[in-house]
Amino acid sequence: DSVTATWNATLMTPGGAGGTGTLNIKNVGNPSADHIHLQFANTITPGAGVGASETDLITKHLQVTSMTYDGVDMLPTIPDSNTNGYKDLADLAAAGIVGAHTGVTPTSLELTNLNTNHPLIMTVVLNADSPDQNQGDSVSTIVTVSLHQVDGQ
């Protein structure tokens, strides 16, 4: 099945309030699943304001301050690939498949019971170090959820 969830944070200011959203993931099929994997992809739309910055992309300034799945903190499983000192949308995209058996807890995002919501909750803020070049930019992030029926897939 297809699931759509949208959360917006408009008129964000560097260091200001962000946005929190929830994607409820539920297995309604049969047989029940074992776990899921998550994959993130970002599309940036430059604003018409101060000017686009291709070297200082807004995705590395959209800090993910909280990300949980079923109440379990996911941020420790995401590497800070751009080494800016915090987890951001660029890091999520660079992480590849999140939830694969990587040796980092949680190694598996369990989805073993049918017809039960498993919330993926994420909060994103525009980090205080975001440059003027990012004014007016927008980002669409697509989260692909893959259901796996066997442990080790």
Side-chain angles (χ1 to χ4, degrees):
D1 288 344
S2 176
V3 176
T4 301
T6 301
W7 60 92
N8 295 324
T10 58
L11 302 175
M12 296 173 79
T13 58
T20 298
T22 301
L23 173 64
N24 283 311
I25 302 166
K26 177 174 25 177
N27 180 15
V28 295
N30 198 4
S32 62
D34 180 71
H35 66 281
I36 61 167
H37 292 169
L38 304 171
Q39 195 160 14
F40 298 82
N42 299 311
T43 302
I44 300 169
T45 304
V50 175
S53 171
E54 293 187 18
T55 59
D56 205 6
L57 299 176
I58 192 168
T59 52
K60 77 176 195 178
H61 296 285
L62 286 168
Q63 181 178 354
V64 180
T65 58
S66 173
M67 187 169 83
T68 61
Y69 175 75
D70 258 358
V72 176
D73 185 7
M74 293 293 302
L75 287 182
T77 69
I78 309 297
D80 180 12
S81 61
N82 54 25
T83 64
N84 59 3
Y86 53 83
K87 309 300 172 70
D88 51 54
L89 291 183
D91 294 328
L92 291 180
I97 298 174
V98 177
H101 296 274
T102 59
V104 179
T105 302
T107 56
S108 177
L109 304 176
E110 292 184 4
L111 186 72
T112 55
N113 47 356
L114 291 172
N115 298 311
T116 302
N117 281 331
H118 298 268
L120 174 66
I121 303 171
M122 187 166 66
T123 300
V124 178
V125 300
L126 185 59
N127 195 276
D129 63 358
S130 183
D132 288 344
Q133 292 91 336
N134 291 331
Q135 288 183 23
D137 290 0
S138 65
V139 178
S140 295
T141 300
I142 299 203
V143 181
T144 302
V145 180
S146 303
L147 182 130
H148 296 271
Q149 294 179 328
V150 178
D151 186 27
Q153 282 184 306

